[in-house]
Amino acid sequence: MFEGFETERVTVDGASILVRHGGEGPPVVLLHGHPRTSATWHRVAPLLVRDGFTVVCPDLRGYGRSTGPAPTPDHTAHSKRAVAGDVVQVMRALGHDRFALAGHDRGGAVALRLVLDHPDAVERVALLDCLPISEHLSRITATFATQWWHWFFFAQPEIPERVITADPDRWYRGDPRTMGQENHDEWRAAVRNPDVVRAMLEDYRAGLTVDRRHEEDDRAAGVRIRCPALALWSLQDDLEDLYGDPLRIWRQWAPDVRGHGIDSGHHMAEEAPEALASALAAFFAERPA
């Protein structure tokens, strides 16, 4: 995986971030979701390098081989605000003050927080198979609670740690043929680590508490995404089934947003890398009118 990329560790405030980076040209950051690592981008990243971009793929705080602080009672140590700050610091350490950004799943929530907290750092943002956490929570139905029950199970204190770490191989399932063997092996090693499991759970605990408050505060204050935005979603997953056109919701957060579905399951970087990379490259290559 990641032939020609460098892998290094960058120390930031409160965390040590494992990052892969390679290529030449305008910088692009790719943020993975739960329960993946930066290796999920192993098919997309080389295509973006081929198209003339510098590509940076970090493991989010506490995920994969990145480490972070101990959990705090208010979950701020694993808030999207803290993780977004990590990404900005990593990019500055690599020499990039401004960059394009894509976030998938939980990485999409980090990407949203990053563009709202650090608008001068982001030129363009792609939000993949995600909505703002507060938008999900304001639209809870029996269908959502049934299909996305893990959000609420993960938020329970201590119980999910005991359940998941008792047999992580049965809890987290992945197909090496779909994921790629090396990606699968790296992911499997991560989810067998109790510290990683706890950090991933803290991500969800923060989502239902501090992250939701941050988003609601921004909406009340009229804070919106200032840069061009692209929303892509998986046609074989349930985002459209639950909410209809995701663009209708994203337009409340971003005045300049466009997007479309990708014929893929949820993990589009693994299942439809060519279509995803093509859409990202076209969007990131656009210059201001």
Side-chain angles (χ1 to χ4, degrees):
M1 296 188 300
F2 295 94
E3 184 176 357
F5 278 62
E6 295 183 42
T7 301
E8 63 180 285
R9 189 170 288 279
V10 178
T11 299
V12 299
D13 293 341
S16 176
I17 306 301
L18 190 285
V19 60
R20 296 168 153 114
H21 57 96
E24 297 181 359
V28 172
V29 184
L30 306 178
L31 304 180
H32 65 83
H34 172 271
R36 294 302 201 253
T37 74
S38 57
T40 195
W41 302 107
H42 71 103
R43 293 173 177 145
V44 171
L47 297 176
L48 293 176
V49 168
R50 179 201 64 190
D51 288 335
F53 296 96
T54 294
V55 181
V56 180
C57 304
D59 286 352
L60 300 180
R61 172 182 292 210
Y63 281 78
R65 288 178 282 171
S66 291
T67 60
T72 53
D74 63 359
H75 311 299
T76 55
H78 292 82
S79 68
K80 307 306 170 290
R81 176 158 286 161
V83 181
D86 293 345
V87 176
V88 171
Q89 290 181 68
V90 166
M91 291 304 286
R92 288 174 179 165
L94 297 177
H96 308 297
D97 290 327
R98 283 179 59 79
F99 47 87
L101 176 65
H104 174 257
D105 184 79
R106 306 301 288 187
V110 175
L112 173 61
R113 178 47 46 201
L114 201 159
V115 296
L116 295 179
D117 283 359
H118 308 275
D120 293 337
V122 182
E123 294 182 347
R124 290 174 171 265
V125 63
L127 302 148
L128 313 179
D129 225 20
C130 63
L131 293 174
I133 291 170
S134 59
E135 297 288 356
H136 284 293
L137 296 178
S138 69
R139 292 171 169 78
I140 289 177
T141 63
T143 301
F144 176 89
T146 301
Q147 295 180 196
W148 293 41
W149 63 272
H150 62 283
W151 276 35
F152 311 102
F153 175 66
F154 289 170
Q156 303 305 310
E158 304 301 333
I159 295 173
E161 280 92 339
R162 295 201 300 271
V163 172
I164 295 170
T165 58
D167 193 350
D169 288 356
R170 292 194 66 185
W171 183 270
Y172 289 117
R173 298 182 181 181
D175 182 356
R177 293 170 297 179
T178 302
M179 296 176 66
Q181 189 66 56
E182 290 179 86
N183 175 30
H184 177 272
D185 292 348
E186 180 174 312
W187 161 80
R188 178 61 71 196
V191 299
R192 288 173 175 170
N193 182 337
D195 291 336
V196 171
V197 170
R198 182 129 199 229
M200 292 193 296
L201 295 172
E202 283 295 310
D203 175 358
Y204 281 83
R205 291 165 180 152
L208 297 188
T209 55
V210 61
D211 295 332
R212 180 184 190 178
R213 289 196 299 272
H214 288 160
E215 289 185 7
E216 290 174 343
D217 289 347
D218 282 338
R219 280 298 300 276
V223 178
R224 304 181 79 194
I225 297 172
R226 286 168 28 187
C227 64
L230 175 71
L232 302 173
W233 56 93
S234 302
L235 294 176
Q236 299 173 31
D237 205 11
D238 60 0
L239 202 64
E240 273 190 303
D241 293 338
L242 286 169
Y243 305 113
D245 183 1
L247 290 177
R248 179 179 56 84
I249 297 173
W250 277 116
R251 288 189 181 112
Q252 300 176 43
W253 292 81
D256 181 1
V257 61
R258 92 279 308 254
H260 57 84
I262 296 281
D263 188 12
S264 170
H266 179 57
H267 294 287
M268 57 175 69
E270 298 166 0
E271 299 175 38
E274 292 86 3
L276 177 57
S278 176
L280 292 177
F283 176 64
F284 291 149
E286 290 181 10
R287 300 273 67 87

